[in-house]
Amino acid sequence: MSTTQRTAPALLSSGSLARSAGLTVDTLRHYERIGLLAPPARTGGDHRRYPPEALERLTFIRVGQRLGLRLEEIKALLDACDETTDCPVGTTERVLRRRITEVDEQIAQMTALRGRLMLAVSRIETHSDDITAILDEPPPPQHPAAQRQKEPNP
C-alpha cells in the first residue's frame, strides 16, 4: 500500500534566491521595500523564506531592466499582472511605447550634444583664443521633440 504525501514547495533563503537570480541580498531587500517583491514568510529565527515564484518575479524584473524600463514602470506592469491571471498586453504595450518615445527623445538630445562637442573640437583645432570663450558658446536651438517635452500639458 503506497501513500502519497503532499509536500509544500521548498522555500528559498535570501541568499539562495539572490544567487539564483544573479542579484545581491541587498537588492532583494530593496525590491521588498519598494513593493516589487512581496514580503516573504519568516522563520522562527526571523529569516526570510521566499516561495519559488519569487524567482520568476525577479526574472521578470531583470528582463524589464534589460529593456531599459525603470523600476516604477516594472512595478506598474507587475501590479497589472497581479490583478489578473494574464498579464495585460495593452498595459505592457503602453509602457513600452512610452519608453520608446523617451529613448527617441534621449537619442535626439545626445545627437545634439555630440554636435556641440564636435563644434567645440573644431573650434579648438582652428583657434588659439581663450578656451573658455570657445567652449562657452550658447547651445543651438533644441530639437522640437525636446521642446515638446518641456512644454506643460494643457
Side-chain angles (χ1 to χ4, degrees):
M1 176 179 194
S2 79
T3 60
T4 14
Q5 192 174 22
R6 204 172 222 187
T7 59
L11 297 177
L12 304 167
S13 69
S14 296
S16 177
L17 179 61
R19 276 189 302 281
S20 296
L23 301 169
T24 66
V25 172
D26 285 340
T27 301
L28 294 182
R29 290 181 185 139
H30 175 68
Y31 288 172
E32 186 182 330
R33 276 192 304 275
I34 65 173
L36 281 171
L37 200 55
R42 301 269 185 160
T43 66
D46 205 32
H47 296 280
R48 290 172 167 87
R49 292 292 183 254
Y50 294 90
E53 298 79 32
L55 183 57
E56 293 173 27
R57 194 167 182 95
L58 292 172
T59 301
F60 184 95
I61 293 167
R62 301 236 7 223
V63 168
Q65 288 177 314
R66 282 196 301 271
L67 287 173
L69 297 178
R70 295 177 190 91
L71 291 179
E72 57 268 10
E73 293 166 326
I74 295 169
K75 184 172 182 332
L77 289 176
L78 285 169
D79 289 347
C81 291
D82 288 344
E83 293 173 6
T84 179
T85 55
D86 262 343
C87 198
V89 175
T91 301
T92 305
E93 182 180 5
R94 277 190 303 281
V95 168
L96 294 177
R97 287 191 182 281
R98 189 176 326 122
R99 188 67 181 120
I100 290 168
T101 300
E102 291 170 359
V103 167
D104 287 342
E105 290 170 358
Q106 290 171 332
I107 289 170
Q109 291 169 0
M110 295 306 290
T111 301
L113 174 59
R114 184 182 190 284
R116 290 191 305 275
L117 290 168
M118 295 296 291
L119 181 61
V121 168
S122 71
R123 287 180 178 158
I124 290 170
E125 292 171 347
T126 59
H127 293 86
S128 59
D129 295 341
D130 176 30
I131 189 110
T132 305
I134 294 170
L135 297 178
D136 197 28
E137 294 283 324
Q142 282 190 331
H143 186 274
Q147 287 175 340
R148 279 194 311 271
Q149 181 181 5
K150 292 185 177 185
E151 292 175 2
N153 291 334

